[in-house]
Amino acid sequence: MDAQKPIIALDFQDMDQLWAFLDAFDEPLNVKIGMELYYTSGSQMIAALKERGHEIFLDLKLHDIPNTVKWAMKSLAQQGVAILNVHALGGKAMMQAAVKGVNKGTADGGQRPLVLAVTQLTSTSQSQLQAEQLSQATMEDSVNHLAGLAQAAQLDGVVCSPLEAKAIKDQFGQDFMTVTPGIRLIAGQDDQKRTATPYQAALNGSDYIVVGRPITQASDPVQAYQAIKEDWQRGLQDKGQIKEEEIK
Ligand code: C5P
């Protein structure tokens, strides 16, 4: 998946909205598909997106016994998506099984999808961590611990806040990937609280940014996408990740 482009979170309720949105773009995109659409339209939709040249982050957050996750990941990898993910709370053995499954599902010589871990959901509060998971850890310690488990299980990285990306890279190394939602050009317009601009996310070390409503709900989605992409690429350039002549 081309890291110079933001990943657009296609959180639509139905396929008509999805295709109407995509028809406005005349270039291949990085897109994130979640459970809502996958459970209704599944592998056919993935094949149709790929036929149009789009690269896919399939955000299904698997969490089950290792054997089940292994075979499920094999079947998802066979669909030729670029990124898959699992819950780190499923445990190290489950994450290792996820990587095994993805390797099995990748054609010989093909590029295997990246496998990311979701640590603690951003919807989980510190008080829930204590009352429901019976954990005495702080949220930060819990997130770091789960990221470490993911790394030990050979996952490629984590989904995290752009504000956490630098600390994760400092602790787990520059090659451990951070994929960051919570991106806003202007903060405070909806339910995302801990946001960063695409430019800041690039400087903080995000490898990919995930952007939904600022593009999908914009009055001109293509223009919003271009503005976000330019801000992100300017950040990658200032960070020394890409040179001006490499910008696409
Ligand atoms: O519309 P918005 O830009 O907030 O969309 C962000 C996307 O990233 C959504 O699909 C959301 O579910 C997902 N996400 C998130 N925060 C996380 C994990 C995933 O916003 N911690």
Side-chain angles (χ1 to χ4, degrees):
M1 185 179 272
D2 182 355
Q4 285 194 27
K5 295 181 180 183
I7 302 174
I8 309 178
L10 297 177
D11 295 323
F12 294 111
Q13 306 297 315
D14 63 58
M15 300 298 294
D16 292 345
Q17 289 175 346
L18 174 83
W19 297 127
F21 172 83
L22 289 174
D23 280 345
F25 291 84
D26 57 9
E27 59 175 312
L29 302 170
N30 293 336
V31 299
K32 181 172 87 70
I33 295 290
M35 298 180 208
E36 312 92 307
L37 277 184
Y38 192 75
Y39 289 156
T40 51
S41 311
S43 45
Q44 276 180 348
M45 168 188 52
I46 299 296
L49 286 168
K50 283 182 53 192
E51 211 176 289
R52 292 179 177 212
H54 303 308
E55 295 263 20
I56 302 154
F57 171 7
L58 189 51
D59 179 17
L60 299 182
K61 302 187 182 73
L62 275 70
H63 187 166
D64 207 318
I65 60 170
N67 189 55
T68 301
V69 168
K70 179 167 84 182
W71 295 113
M73 291 295 269
K74 177 185 175 218
S75 125
L76 294 175
Q78 282 169 333
Q79 295 179 30
V81 298
I83 307 182
L84 290 164
N85 60 5
V86 298
H87 271 286
L89 281 166
K92 187 172 160 194
M94 186 206 78
M95 289 191 276
Q96 287 170 324
V99 173
K100 269 195 194 144
V102 162
N103 287 336
K104 275 183 187 294
T106 304
D108 282 347
Q111 199 178 359
R112 87 149 171 73
L114 296 172
V115 186
L116 304 177
V118 174
T119 57
Q120 291 287 354
L121 291 170
T122 42
S123 54
T124 303
S125 65
Q126 179 75 50
S127 58
Q128 272 177 308
L129 189 66
Q130 288 172 359
E132 297 178 9
Q133 295 182 21
L134 284 184
S135 168
Q136 297 309 311
T138 63
M139 182 58 77
E140 194 186 345
D141 284 348
S142 178
V143 167
N144 281 338
H145 175 66
L146 292 168
L149 270 190
Q151 188 174 48
Q154 310 285 313
L155 264 64
D156 298 291
V158 287
V159 179
C160 68
S161 151
L163 306 178
E164 290 161 1
K166 186 173 180 310
I168 298 264
K169 292 264 181 194
D170 287 347
Q171 192 169 345
F172 299 105
Q174 296 306 309
D175 290 344
F176 195 60
M177 299 184 79
T178 56
V179 176
T180 61
I183 301 294
R184 296 293 181 264
L185 279 173
I186 303 163
Q189 293 184 319
D190 53 41
D191 59 349
Q192 293 277 23
K193 302 287 179 244
R194 301 180 63 240
T195 64
T197 64
Y199 182 83
Q200 290 164 336
L203 292 193
N204 286 358
S206 295
D207 292 286
Y208 288 97
I209 51 171
V210 176
V211 191
R213 289 162 291 175
I215 299 171
T216 56
Q217 306 297 316
S219 53
D220 184 343
V222 176
Q223 191 194 43
Y225 172 72
Q226 294 302 346
I228 285 167
K229 187 167 89 169
E230 275 162 29
D231 200 54
W232 168 241
Q233 292 183 337
R234 201 166 51 83
L236 292 177
Q237 208 184 325
D238 284 359
K239 183 133 199 293
Q241 307 270 100
I242 50 172
K243 299 196 181 78
E244 193 170 355
E245 59 272 21
E246 291 168 352
I247 288 183
K248 293 173 195 160

